[in-house]
Amino acid sequence: MVTGASLATASLAWETTAQTTVQTATQTAVPVESKKVRLAVIGTGNRGTGHLRNLLDFPEIEVVAVCDLVKTAAERAAKICTDSGKPAPTVYTDDDKAWKRLLETEKLDLTIIATGWPMHAEISLGALEKGVYVGCEVPIAGSVEDCWKLVEASETYKTPCMMLENWSFRQDNLAVLNMIRLGLFGEMMYSHCAYSHDCRDYFYYDNNGNERWQLQYFKKYNRNYYPTHALGPILSWFDINAGDRFTEIYSVATPAKGVNIRAKQRFGADHPGATTAFAQGDVVTSILKTALGKTVVLNLDVQLPRPYGNRWIAQGTKGIYDEEKESLYLEDVSTKPGEWEPFPPYQEKYNHRFWNRTYPGGHNGTDGCELRQLVDAVLAKEQTPLDVYDSVTMSAVVELSGLSITENRPVEFPDFTQGAWKTRKPYFALDQVLEQQS
Ligand SMILES: NC(=O)c1ccc[n+]([C@@H]2O[C@H](COP(=O)([O-])OP(=O)(O)OC[C@H]3O[C@@H](n4cnc5c(N)ncnc54)[C@H](O)[C@@H]3O)[C@@H](O)[C@H]2O)c1
């Protein structure tokens, strides 16, 4: 068993270094000085541009700056702002430290960070130091050390920090959360979740056969590098960091075959991708144990041909929900003993208050829903719906799963709340209307 302290010195990461001290797990919101939300978007590629378009629909949003190290990407983002009828933001570009100049210069309430993975923690830390709310893409950190740094910075600067884990805000997942909180599944015991997504043409080589930026990691590491979409809803279903916590993780990986096969299909046998020895296994399976003895099984499955799926299962002492089957069984409620029944009527009945309206944007409005809750928190000067502890708990799996695979043993999961999980109450997506009805 390894401790959090020894992990902090390990060098399995997206390359980071310094040690940090840990503060207590209490936070207050940073003041916001106006009813407008002064926003900067850092990293205006695919995802950052999507967030920008969604946020431009919110009347409170003033985009004061956009930043990308690629000039055309930053200028395209600025044009999206002016095309929408809003003022032109200041453009920061040309080098990989332009984001620092932006944070030094601009007076901001919120920054959205959608660069590639290696820069997430560093830019988030820069924003937290300036007292600027952070909404950062997934995963927010690639090392346990950076996870601790983010906790320390969010606590020290009393500034909320949210990883933009959109699947926590899905309509079906939030209805299941309402049902769990109403006790319909009894006491939660077990969950399965996955990021199953054929990403062979997305994470590895572009259409011309050039390496994408992610590929460097797959040559070097074997781990669950994308755990957060699967784990997002699980954190609230299991009251992780608010009554329970992850204590241990054990991970295994299959051999790496899928990327070689796909590169040969797309670019021919002479392409380097056809023969490169990738470290990253095709399917990574992790078992997470909680302090209360619950179990979560987590898959990363992105290198083999398959349709998309998250394969969420939530099982308690009174019933089970299966997202892939779009079905559930509740011992006290279902009319046919031992038979699945359709989930959609339950989703309608237990619809979460976040979904009493429609939202702009991708993933059936889920991205708009997530951003709406984040902006509302900034306006109200409140804690973000997913806080720094949630964000780093999901992200720590990146390094911990790799260590477990390499050393073929369970690895201790750090307690980022420093014991506060025992007394913290669930806070994510509380649905008071529903709770009053029950
Ligand atoms: N939540 C979701 O559903 C979802 C979907 C897609 C992507 N993502 C995440 O969003 C992030 C971005 O993914 P993407 O598909 O937009 O990638 P992308 O490559 O299209 O965009 C990343 C952008 O960041 C810029 N960048 C990199 N380093 C920078 C730096 N130091 N300063 C300023 N700009 C910098 C790049 O030039 C690029 O334009 C990734 O972390 C990815 O995992 C999340």
Side-chain angles (χ1 to χ4, degrees):
M1 192 65 64
V2 233
T3 65
S6 65
L7 272 170
T9 55
S11 60
L12 299 165
W14 334 119
E15 278 84 37
T16 50
T17 45
Q19 287 264 12
T20 58
T21 49
V22 177
Q23 308 287 312
T24 54
T26 51
Q27 288 191 313
T28 51
V30 70
V32 177
E33 288 165 12
S34 73
K35 296 250 174 183
K36 289 282 179 192
V37 171
R38 294 175 300 251
L39 170 74
V41 179
I42 301 176
T44 54
N46 162 41
R47 190 71 180 153
T49 301
H51 287 318
L52 178 66
R53 287 187 195 281
N54 284 343
L55 287 160
L56 283 167
D57 267 10
F58 297 174
E60 310 88 349
I61 290 290
E62 274 180 11
V63 184
V64 298
V66 291
C67 171
D68 198 293
L69 60 86
V70 176
K71 193 170 189 168
T72 49
E75 288 178 343
R76 184 188 56 213
K79 186 168 181 307
I80 290 169
C81 297
T82 48
D83 286 352
S84 77
K86 301 237 177 165
T90 306
V91 171
Y92 292 82
T93 185
D94 285 337
D95 65 82
D96 65 358
K97 294 290 179 265
W99 62 271
K100 282 197 172 176
R101 294 195 296 278
L102 185 161
L103 291 174
E104 286 299 330
T105 313
E106 302 292 345
K107 195 165 162 32
L108 298 171
D109 300 312
L110 170 64
T111 182
I112 295 290
I113 300 159
T115 62
W117 308 323
M119 291 306 294
H120 286 177
E122 189 179 341
I123 301 176
S124 296
L125 287 166
L128 292 172
E129 278 171 24
K130 298 287 178 196
V132 178
Y133 271 73
V134 166
C136 179
E137 261 308 332
V138 301
I140 197 168
S143 71
V144 171
E145 184 180 1
D146 275 350
C147 289
W148 280 119
K149 284 196 225 171
L150 288 162
V151 168
E152 184 190 23
S154 185
E155 291 173 347
T156 303
Y157 300 107
K158 299 191 184 337
T159 302
C161 175
M162 169 165 151
M163 185 177 69
L164 296 171
E165 184 31 72
N166 40 343
W167 276 173
S168 299
F169 296 83
R170 252 172 72 150
Q171 189 170 14
D172 51 359
N173 290 335
L174 286 170
V176 172
L177 176 63
N178 273 343
M179 293 177 69
I180 289 172
R181 285 180 173 163
L182 289 171
L184 285 149
F185 292 96
E187 186 186 349
M188 297 310 293
M189 287 290 155
Y190 169 82
S191 194
H192 181 270
C193 58
Y195 186 63
S196 301
H197 187 186
D198 182 351
C199 290
R200 292 172 302 162
D201 296 350
Y202 177 56
F203 281 153
Y204 306 91
Y205 296 97
D206 68 18
N207 289 337
N208 299 317
N210 301 315
E211 290 189 7
R212 293 193 196 271
W213 59 263
Q214 295 95 334
L215 200 81
Q216 57 182 304
Y217 299 111
F218 311 142
K219 291 180 182 168
K220 196 167 173 186
Y221 299 115
N222 189 7
R223 57 192 180 178
N224 184 334
Y225 58 85
Y226 218 58
T228 75
H229 290 334
L231 281 176
I234 307 293
L235 255 63
S236 55
W237 292 350
F238 278 75
D239 291 336
I240 298 298
N241 296 331
D244 201 355
R245 76 175 189 89
F246 293 136
T247 53
E248 250 182 317
I249 178 170
Y250 177 60
S251 302
V252 291
T254 68
K257 306 267 183 193
V259 178
N260 292 141
I261 293 169
R262 184 65 182 158
K264 190 174 170 188
Q265 278 170 0
R266 286 175 84 196
F267 310 115
D270 293 337
H271 186 274
T275 48
T276 297
F278 289 102
Q280 181 64 52
D282 286 341
V283 181
V284 177
T285 304
S286 303
I287 301 175
L288 292 129
K289 203 170 139 186
T290 79
L292 301 184
K294 322 287 170 77
T295 309
V296 176
V297 174
L298 164 71
N299 282 136
L300 177 75
D301 168 14
V302 295
Q303 296 182 179
L304 298 174
R306 60 154 299 136
Y308 185 89
N310 290 106
R311 295 188 272 150
W312 283 299
I313 289 174
Q315 189 167 26
T317 52
K318 290 180 169 187
I320 182 166
Y321 164 72
D322 187 324
E323 179 257 347
E324 205 169 26
K325 292 186 198 295
E326 247 195 305
S327 297
L328 51 63
Y329 176 70
L330 300 171
E331 193 176 43
D332 295 344
V333 181
S334 299
T335 46
K336 294 184 184 164
E339 281 189 30
W340 293 105
E341 60 172 314
F343 174 65
Y346 287 89
Q347 177 171 308
E348 200 175 322
K349 182 169 178 190
Y350 296 101
N351 188 38
H352 194 276
R353 68 181 168 88
F354 288 176
W355 284 94
N356 287 338
R357 49 160 293 184
T358 55
Y359 295 99
H363 298 113
N364 296 322
T366 302
D367 296 348
C369 175
E370 167 189 56
L371 293 170
R372 185 67 260 170
Q373 312 318 316
L374 171 60
V375 171
D376 283 350
V378 178
L379 283 166
K381 307 171 190 174
E382 285 173 351
Q383 184 51 263
T384 45
L386 293 170
D387 65 16
V388 73
Y389 310 106
D390 302 322
S391 304
V392 300
T393 296
M394 289 185 252
S395 302
V397 168
V398 175
E399 179 175 356
L400 297 169
S401 60
L403 188 62
S404 177
I405 290 167
T406 305
E407 300 190 359
N408 190 24
R409 64 188 173 82
V411 171
E412 186 179 326
F413 209 102
D415 173 11
F416 292 108
T417 73
Q418 293 286 284
W421 64 272
K422 292 176 191 161
T423 49
R424 296 177 96 214
K425 300 288 172 223
Y427 47 86
F428 172 73
L430 297 176
D431 194 341
Q432 282 146 8
V433 175
L434 191 87
E435 277 153 22
Q436 279 160 15
Q437 280 169 0
S438 67

